[in-house]
Every structure is written in structure tokens, then in C-alpha cells.
């Protein structure tokens, strides 16, 4: 008899726990984030958001192409609320595949400049990265440097380091050259770059800088934040490599230096659209933008946010204001032209 009443009590307790409304509501406060970003800073930023908002972030990490494919196959059953990528091109692709939706927010529209977001609010830039020239300070006089176009000059033969053409950062740079100069000029440019390679492309952006230190080349094209990572690395060789080079912002006399974004969009079938927008608003807040700048060496999209000391030490620069949607639209063309000139 006692045993039976205990069972009844336990059963009631279980039922009442399960039906606790506030708990159900609390459990619903989640966001599923599909992200291609691989930086420790993000973890800290997400944790701070969870603590502040009570909304839990489920992070699903993979490269953007895999995430886009996953969203496609999941269809309207996709748990994804947000897609976060390391370039604009993949966001353009996700939009064209009907995987994103408009996120209309006065806060976002007032903070993110027009050229850094989709015209229909399907995606927004969160941080900017500049694709710059870095040069060996012992071998190159910066007065010799000027534009991306000038890197095809014979004087740079066997001196130029850059990663493979399979990389999205190079594809977007090429897309910007097509957009600015036309296809024919862009193809000649790519052929000229191949002609000046110090070696067959290999490794990531950081490896190009390490190759400068090793004497394999004298200048490289890399994203700025990788230099920040090298200089602040725990590996002394990386620190030495980072300190051996100086940043040069190309095309300051004409269109400006090519920039790309790490950006985000709300998924078409987002189960938690409202919270997804709140999360984007949080990511572009002054406080978080300054964190991206100080800890991941990326340029803020929020004009109120101050850059970090390191970014300031590289100087201010004029950026190419090409609408970043173009990078996605011209991606295929860029890949074809790279193949034609045999840029590995
Ligand atoms: Fe990167």
C-alpha cells in the first residue's frame, strides 16, 4: 500500500515537472546557428549572449557549402535559425537557393552600411576583413607598391605568394576585379599573377607570411586578421613571421582595397526568427563589435565601435565600396577564369 502511494506521488511529481509552463518556455529559448566561423572569440561572444538573454545557442560548425547543402536537404524541417559565413559570396548563394528570409530591423539597417548588406535584408555583414598586400620589410620599398593590378608587373616575378584559387577569399578578390575591370582584364590579371608566383600555391594565408620569413617570396596577399593572429600567436616562429612583414593597402588612389565580410542571415524556416534578429542586433552592438576587433582583429561594421590598437597601427584605408552581392554573383565566373589561367 505504501509502495503504491509512493508511486502515485512520484507520478504526480513527474507530471507537474513536465507541465511546468515556465520551464517549457525556458526550454524554447534556443537558437540554432549554422556557422563556418572557427574562431575562439565567437565562443566567448555567444556565451555572453546566453548569459545576458537566457537564450541558448546551439552551434553547428561546418564549411559554408556543407551548411548550405544541409539546409537544402533539411528543407522546412531545418532546425537552423541562422547561417553565419566567412564571406558574402556564400550568403548570396544561400539567398539564391531560397534558404534565407528577410530580417527587417531598424537597428540593423541603421548600423550596417548599405554596401555591406543585402538590399532585401536577407543577410548582413558582421565584420569586415581587408585583403591586403603584406611585404618583407627588409626587401621591399613600399613606394614600389600601388595596386592589385600592379602585382602582375615583371618586377614581382618569382616573388609573389598567394594561396590556391579554390579558396573563397581569392575567388571574391577575383570577382571584385571582374566587377571593376571587366572579364578580359581580370583574366589577364590572373594570368599575370600566376606568372609572378614565387611557388605553386599551397597553405593558408598564414602560411604565405611564414614563407616570406623563410625567404621563399617577398610579398603576399592575405586577409588582415591573419596577421593579427600571427603577431599574437603562442608559436614564436609565427610571431617572428608576423613581425617580418608590413601591411600595404592597395588601390588607395582609385577604388580602394578589396574587402569582404563575415556575415549572417536568418534561415528561411527559422523556428525562432524573433530571437534570431535579436542575436544579430547583439552581434553588431558596439560592445561586441569591439570584441571582434580586439580579439579576432576584424574591422567593425558598426561605425560607433572603435578599432583595436593593432588595427589602428596598420593605418586607415579607403575600402572598395562595391556592393558585396557582386562577389556572389561573379563567383562562378571567377572560378572559370582561374581555371583558364591554371591558377591552382
Ligand atoms: Fe578566415
Amino acid at each position: 500500500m505504501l509502495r503504491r502511494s509512493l508511486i502515485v506521488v512520484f507520478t504526480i511529481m513527474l507530471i507537474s515537472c513536465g507541465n511546468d509552463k515556465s520551464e517549457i518556455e525556458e526550454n524554447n529559448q534556443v537558437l540554432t546557428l549554422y556557422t563556418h566561423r572557427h574562431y575562439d572569440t565567437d565562443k566567448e561572444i555567444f556565451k555572453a549572449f546566453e548569459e545576458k538573454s537566457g537564450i541558448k545557442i546551439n552551434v553547428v560548425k561546418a564549411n559554408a557549402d556543407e551548411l548550405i547543402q544541409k539546409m537544402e536537404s533539411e528543407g522546412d524541417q531545418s532546425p537552423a535559425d541562422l547561417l553565419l559565413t566567412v564571406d558574402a559570396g556564400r550568403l548570396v548563394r544561400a539567398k539564391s537557393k531560397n534558404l534565407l528570409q528577410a530580417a527587417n530591423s531598424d537597428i540593423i539597417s541603421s548600423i550596417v552600411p548599405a554596401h555591406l548588406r543585402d538590399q532585401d535584408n536577407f543577410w548582413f555583414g558582421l565584420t569586415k576583413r581587408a585583403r591586403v598586400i603584406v611585404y618583407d620589410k627588409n626587401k621591399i620599398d613600399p613606394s614600389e607598391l600601388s595596386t592589385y593590378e600592379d602585382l602582375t608587373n615583371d618586377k614581382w616575378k618569382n616573388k609573389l605568394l598567394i594561396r590556391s584559387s579554390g579558396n573563397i577569399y581569392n575567388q571574391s578578390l577575383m570577382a571584385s576585379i571582374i566587377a571593376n575591370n571587366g572579364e578580359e582584364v581580370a583574366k589577364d590579371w590572373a594570368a599575370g599573377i600566376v606568372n609572378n608566383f614565387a611557388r605553386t600555391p599551397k597553405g593558408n594565408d598564414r602560411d604565405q607570411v611564414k614563407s616570406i620569413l623563410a625567404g621563399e617570396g617577398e610579398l603576399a596577399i592575405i586577409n588582415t586578421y591573419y596577421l593579427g593572429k600571427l603577431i599574437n600567436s603562442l608559436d614564436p616562429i609565427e610571431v617572428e613571421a608576423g613581425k617580418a612583414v608590413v601591411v600595404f593597402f592597395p588601390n588607395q588612389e582609385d577604388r580602394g582595397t578589396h574587402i569582404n565580410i563575415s556575415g549572417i542571415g536568418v534561415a528561411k524556416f527559422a523556428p525562432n526568427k524573433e530571437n534570431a534578429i535579436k542575436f544579430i542586433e547583439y552581434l553588431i552592438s558596439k560592445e561586441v563589435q569591439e570584441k571582434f576587433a580586439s580579439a579576432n582583429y576584424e574591422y567593425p561594421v558598426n561605425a560607433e565601435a572603435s578599432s583595436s590598437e593593432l588595427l589602428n597601427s596598420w593605418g586607415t584605408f579607403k575600402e572598395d565600396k562595391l556592393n558585396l552581392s557582386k562577389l556572389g554573383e561573379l563567383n562562378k565566373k571567377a572560378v572559370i577564369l582561374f581555371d583558364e589561367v591554371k591558377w591552382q
Side-chain angles (χ1 to χ4, degrees):
M1 184 64 190
L2 179 66
R3 211 175 137 196
R4 204 162 156 202
S5 33
L6 273 177
I7 290 171
V8 171
V9 170
F10 274 123
T11 311
I12 290 168
M13 277 172 66
L14 282 173
I15 289 169
S16 65
C17 279
N19 282 343
D20 186 317
K21 193 166 176 286
S22 66
E23 190 175 304
I24 288 172
E25 271 173 11
E26 204 179 286
N27 286 341
N28 279 342
Q29 297 286 307
V30 293
L31 274 176
T32 301
L33 172 70
Y34 282 14
T35 179
H36 185 160
R37 283 174 62 100
H38 49 86
Y39 316 116
D40 292 337
T41 318
D42 290 31
K43 262 191 238 162
E44 291 164 34
I45 289 170
F46 300 164
K47 199 167 156 240
F49 176 78
E50 288 181 331
E51 279 162 12
K52 196 173 157 179
S53 66
I55 300 167
K56 193 181 168 341
I57 312 283
N58 291 328
V59 176
V60 178
K61 266 194 224 172
N63 80 41
D65 289 330
E66 289 164 354
L67 293 170
I68 286 172
Q69 218 167 43
K70 187 166 158 65
M71 288 168 83
E72 272 186 297
S73 61
E74 289 166 343
D76 61 2
Q77 298 302 305
S78 175
D81 289 301
L82 295 146
L83 175 66
L84 176 50
T85 72
V86 292
D87 79 296
R90 294 298 190 267
L91 290 166
V92 172
R93 183 177 299 175
K95 182 190 180 193
S96 73
K97 287 177 178 277
N98 207 17
L99 297 171
L100 300 177
Q101 62 171 309
N104 298 311
S105 150
D106 291 341
I107 296 177
I108 304 175
S109 313
S110 67
I111 290 177
V112 183
H115 70 288
L116 303 178
R117 60 182 152 91
D118 174 55
Q119 55 176 5
D120 304 316
N121 293 328
F122 278 55
W123 52 262
F124 311 92
L126 291 183
T127 63
K128 286 186 288 188
R129 37 272 301 277
R131 197 147 181 79
V132 297
I133 299 170
V134 292
Y135 62 91
D136 186 329
K137 62 182 176 194
N138 295 321
K139 292 182 185 155
I140 289 183
D141 177 348
S143 69
E144 291 282 308
L145 295 165
S146 57
T147 60
Y148 297 107
E149 288 78 3
D150 175 66
L151 294 176
T152 62
N153 191 304
D154 276 348
K155 68 182 173 189
W156 306 122
K157 193 150 179 72
N158 300 323
K159 292 182 178 170
L160 181 60
L161 292 150
I162 185 164
R163 71 200 293 178
S164 79
S165 67
N167 172 260
I168 187 72
Y169 304 143
N170 281 344
Q171 292 168 9
S172 287
L173 172 63
M174 182 63 170
S176 81
I177 289 183
I178 299 171
N180 281 296
N181 298 328
E183 236 175 83
E184 235 168 273
V185 174
K187 185 178 170 181
D188 288 345
W189 174 79
I193 294 289
V194 171
N195 202 37
N196 284 345
F197 279 168
R199 57 159 163 73
T200 304
K202 63 176 177 188
N204 57 28
D205 281 4
R206 268 173 278 204
D207 293 322
Q208 312 312 314
V209 183
K210 288 189 224 169
S211 294
I212 290 179
L213 179 67
E216 290 179 86
E218 296 182 8
L219 68 170
I221 297 179
I222 66 161
N223 283 357
T224 33
Y225 56 93
Y226 285 119
L227 191 56
K229 285 173 185 286
L230 286 171
I231 291 168
N232 291 286
S233 169
L234 295 173
D235 176 349
I237 293 287
E238 292 204 333
V239 177
E240 203 188 334
K243 290 188 170 168
V245 299
V246 179
V247 172
F248 182 86
F249 293 101
N251 297 73
Q252 294 303 288
E253 305 301 321
D254 49 59
R255 65 182 181 269
T257 296
H258 168 66
I259 56 150
N260 203 333
I261 50 152
S262 195
I264 195 163
V266 174
K268 168 104 178 166
F269 300 106
N272 308 290
K273 181 178 178 181
E274 233 172 87
N275 283 344
I277 293 174
K278 266 191 222 160
F279 182 59
I280 299 176
E281 291 171 348
Y282 171 76
L283 294 176
I284 57 170
S285 66
K286 181 175 181 290
E287 175 202 352
V288 176
Q289 288 283 301
E290 286 176 354
K291 180 99 180 143
F292 281 129
S294 65
N296 209 45
Y297 323 109
E298 295 173 278
Y299 291 98
V301 295
N302 183 335
E304 299 278 297
S306 39
S307 262
S308 67
E309 209 178 303
L310 178 67
L311 297 189
N312 290 335
S313 76
W314 296 333
T316 53
F317 67 100
K318 176 180 169 186
E319 68 189 46
D320 185 353
K321 292 259 169 70
L322 176 73
N323 191 296
L324 296 186
S325 298
K326 279 273 173 248
L327 305 183
E329 288 161 25
L330 293 168
N331 179 271
K332 267 207 185 106
K333 186 55 66 190
V335 173
I336 291 168
L337 294 181
F338 275 151
D339 278 352
E340 285 177 6
V341 303
K342 302 194 167 50
W343 181 329
Q344 285 188 26

